[in-house]
Amino acid sequence: MDQAQTLRVIGALLFVLVVIMALAWFARRSGWLRHASKSNPLRILGTHSLGARCSVTVIQVDDTRLVLGVTPQAISILHTLPPPAPADASPSTQDDFATVLSQSTSRP
């Protein structure tokens, strides 16, 4: 095998790798790979940053909403919220997160 054939084989392999990577990127960007995860019962409702690498996150697992404190070392459950109101009476997601966060941080 001479040098020209070796370069042609390497070029063909690089082309195939680039095509595979481009197809994977396109599939991820278009959402083809996300359809399998719709059965996942966990949803992130919102996140609020508290500083460098620390945040408060509200997640929903089935019908339970959890307020989590997230740091680089640990994830802690800060509060458990009741099930959300029916979909027709609930406000937008951003307003809902702000309401949930203010309710969970206020002391009764």
Side-chain angles (χ1 to χ4, degrees), residues 61-106:
V61 181
D62 293 328
D63 289 335
T64 305
R65 292 183 295 173
L66 302 172
V67 180
L68 304 176
V70 181
T71 66
Q73 292 81 21
I75 298 174
S76 304
I77 298 177
L78 303 177
H79 190 67
T80 302
L81 300 169
D88 57 334
S90 67
S92 69
T93 304
Q94 188 174 22
D95 293 339
D96 187 36
F97 176 69
T99 305
V100 168
L101 184 60
S102 66
Q103 288 173 352
S104 67
T105 57
S106 65

Side-chain angles (χ1 to χ4, degrees), residues 11-69:
L13 288 174
L14 288 175
F15 177 74
V16 169
L17 287 175
V18 168
V19 168
I20 290 173
M21 290 174 66
L23 288 173
W25 177 83
F26 180 73
R28 186 173 176 183
R29 293 284 288 176
S30 65
W32 289 346
L33 299 178
R34 288 184 222 144
H35 294 298
S37 67
K38 287 197 179 207
S39 63
N40 189 359
L42 185 115
R43 281 186 32 216
I44 298 175
L45 299 178
T47 300
H48 182 74
S49 178
L50 299 176
R53 298 170 32 187
C54 296
S55 63
V56 173
T57 302
V58 177
I59 65 167
Q60 182 173 346
V61 181
D62 293 328
D63 289 335
T64 305
R65 292 183 295 173
L66 302 172
V67 180
L68 304 176

